[in-house]
Amino acid sequence: MAATPVVVAIDGPSGTGKSSTSKAVAARMGLRYLDTGAQYRAITWWMLNAGIDVDDRDAVAAAAGKPTIVSGTDPLAPTIVVDGTDVAAPIRGRQVTGAVSAVSAVPEVRTRITELQRSIAAEARDGIVVEGRDIGTTVLPDAEVKIFLTASPEVRAARRSAELAGKPGAAAEVAATRAALLKRDAADSGRTTSPLAKADDATEVDTSELTLEQVIECVVTLIEERGRRSR
């Protein structure tokens, strides 16, 4: 258990183990958990279902404040609900995956979702692990612990292909996934508003050659070290 409430920001691109690590660390240390990427996927799902052209930035901006998004922060059973509908499954579909970068790049969307994320973190009295792409740099720049997870494109592609297919993918599938990940990285890192970036005071952890348990132990150690320093 964390000795005192702590806000942990875990950033990094897809396929680095952010979600698995963040949930496990939060559960082990008695913290809440927030998947910010799910929120951007949720608003993207809503835009698509509302018939909004996700490539029309003005249309997306005008609709950014309309849906009600509620995130459950139990690390053992996180939830995401939009206007009363459980969207945990549909937001992981290919259509949302293909559109989320475009929607996430719209400043009005980022402002709306960032405000939601900050309010959730502020209400987490026991502390929280927040994972995303701009948590340590933009959303929660004062987080006590900041971690940036990385991994090679090849490792990330293999992990994501296995995750999506439920089993290791064929070489062609991994290659396609690698290309998609790199395209997403470029879009996220190159956007004007809150790009994917490592905070200056974040600890970088390369997960390429580490098991999930090793990454979890590394993050837990970093949090515990912060606790000892603050005493």
Side-chain angles (χ1 to χ4, degrees):
M1 298 286 288
T4 58
V6 59
V7 174
V8 181
I10 299 183
D11 290 309
S14 299
T16 55
K18 286 199 313 293
S19 294
S20 298
T21 299
S22 299
K23 284 187 283 191
V25 167
R28 186 174 300 185
M29 304 196 75
L31 305 173
R32 308 308 292 176
Y33 161 74
L34 178 61
D35 176 359
T36 63
Q39 295 176 317
Y40 283 106
R41 284 175 172 272
I43 198 169
T44 300
W45 175 88
W46 184 89
M47 295 280 177
L48 292 168
N49 278 268
I52 294 170
D53 181 356
V54 296
D55 292 318
D56 184 338
R57 294 173 67 92
D58 290 337
V60 170
K66 293 183 178 180
T68 298
I69 301 171
V70 179
S71 297
T73 58
D74 180 350
L76 299 178
T79 58
I80 183 78
V81 174
V82 180
D83 292 342
T85 299
D86 180 351
V87 297
I91 64 171
R92 303 298 174 182
R94 292 185 182 277
Q95 188 178 25
V96 171
T97 297
V100 66
S101 283
V103 173
S104 299
V106 176
E108 289 80 359
V109 170
R110 300 207 71 82
T111 296
R112 191 289 173 84
I113 298 299
T114 295
E115 290 173 350
L116 177 59
Q117 293 162 359
R118 287 174 176 164
S119 68
I120 292 172
E123 292 167 3
R125 296 183 178 180
D126 295 328
I128 191 169
V129 177
V130 184
E131 61 143 310
R133 286 172 167 75
D134 64 342
I135 310 306
T137 53
T138 300
V139 180
L140 300 169
D142 295 326
E144 291 90 344
V145 180
K146 299 180 185 179
I147 296 164
F148 193 86
L149 299 185
T150 64
S152 70
E154 292 74 19
V155 168
R156 292 168 54 209
R159 288 173 179 169
R160 183 47 55 91
S161 293
E163 175 185 307
L164 296 176
K167 57 184 179 180
E173 182 181 359
V174 173
T177 302
R178 180 181 185 278
L181 286 173
L182 292 176
K183 181 179 180 181
R184 175 77 189 272
D185 289 351
D188 289 345
S189 300
R191 64 178 176 242
T192 302
T193 305
S194 301
L196 164 66
K198 173 181 173 291
D200 291 339
D201 54 348
T203 299
E204 183 170 323
V205 178
D206 189 331
T207 70
S208 299
E209 303 299 327
L210 301 178
T211 65
L212 175 58
E213 184 58 33
Q214 287 173 325
V215 179
I216 294 168
E217 289 293 342
C218 177
V219 174
V220 167
T221 297
L222 290 169
I223 297 171
E224 290 176 338
E225 287 177 349
R226 171 266 171 192
R228 287 193 290 270
R229 289 196 302 270
S230 65
R231 293 191 187 114

